[in-house]
Amino acid sequence: MTVTLSPLYQRAGFMLRRAHQLSVGLFEEQCRSLGLTPSQYTALSVLAASPGMDQSSLARSMGFDKVTTLRLVRGLEQRQLVQRSLNLHDKRQHQLTLTEAGQELLVLAAPFVDAAYQKLIHPLSQEELSQLLALLTKLEADLGPGARVRFTPLNTLLKAGSTQAY
């Protein structure tokens, strides 16, 4: 029996996973000297934009589940990049803020992150990049509401005044 894999390699899911692998690989290659992963960079960036955010809101703004976010935050705390403190309005919640070291790492990482991004998009024309982003946004808009893990962009959370636990 001969198995043909070409249909598999033409499926959107397979190619999206492969594109993600390429993206992560480029990021890690550029940021290896900083010991920074894409998830850590995303968390630091979100917290820089919204200091004092609670962990549940961080999870939603990244499209991560709460357990993964807890592990991520613990790792950032161990590296003294993020500080967790009790929320003054709700003692059951913790506020997350970048430490000075976290802010410095974010600034230091910027050119490395940009280099990884430029390598990733290099093969695409501006029109192709716009089209790719529009198609990915369309997939998220249609399929995201039914996904196992909620994703709410930070700007939406901030507009709703909802960076506290839900």
Side-chain angles (χ1 to χ4, degrees):
M1 178 175 147
T2 303
V3 177
T4 302
L5 291 178
S6 60
L8 170 69
Y9 298 145
Q10 298 302 310
R11 291 185 181 262
F14 181 88
M15 294 308 293
L16 286 168
R17 181 191 58 77
R18 182 64 181 146
H20 181 258
Q21 285 178 319
L22 294 169
S23 176
V24 168
L26 290 169
F27 186 99
E28 289 178 348
E29 176 185 302
Q30 289 295 314
C31 295
R32 185 170 289 119
S33 65
L34 302 175
L36 192 62
T37 68
S39 299
Q40 292 168 340
Y41 176 77
T42 301
L44 293 174
S45 296
V46 169
L47 292 174
S50 185
M53 172 182 276
D54 66 274
Q55 206 162 289
S56 294
S57 295
L58 177 62
R60 284 191 319 220
S61 70
M62 295 177 60
F64 281 18
D65 62 70
K66 291 180 182 180
V67 172
T68 300
T69 305
L70 174 63
R71 289 183 183 136
L72 177 63
V73 168
R74 283 184 179 161
L76 293 171
E77 277 185 302
Q78 288 173 350
R79 290 182 62 188
Q80 299 181 344
L81 301 172
V82 170
Q83 180 178 345
R84 191 183 341 203
S85 58
L86 280 179
N87 184 320
L88 299 176
H89 303 291
D90 184 349
K91 300 292 186 200
R92 297 169 298 170
Q93 293 297 316
H94 288 90
Q95 295 179 180
L96 303 171
T97 53
L98 293 184
T99 63
E100 189 174 319
Q103 292 169 0
E104 290 172 3
L105 180 58
L106 200 53
V107 170
L108 184 63
F112 296 98
V113 171
D114 187 57
Y117 182 68
Q118 292 307 316
K119 279 187 174 185
L120 179 67
I121 65 168
H122 174 74
L124 304 175
S125 69
Q126 188 57 48
E127 182 181 334
E128 289 170 329
L129 177 59
S130 295
Q131 186 178 23
L132 174 62
L133 293 173
L135 291 170
L136 292 172
T137 300
K138 185 175 184 177
L139 283 175
E140 167 55 35
D142 188 67
L143 301 174
R148 180 182 63 82
V149 177
R150 288 177 56 185
F151 169 65
T152 308
L154 180 59
N155 59 343
T156 302
L157 285 173
L158 294 175
K159 283 180 191 172
S162 174
T163 57
Q164 301 302 314
Y166 57 102

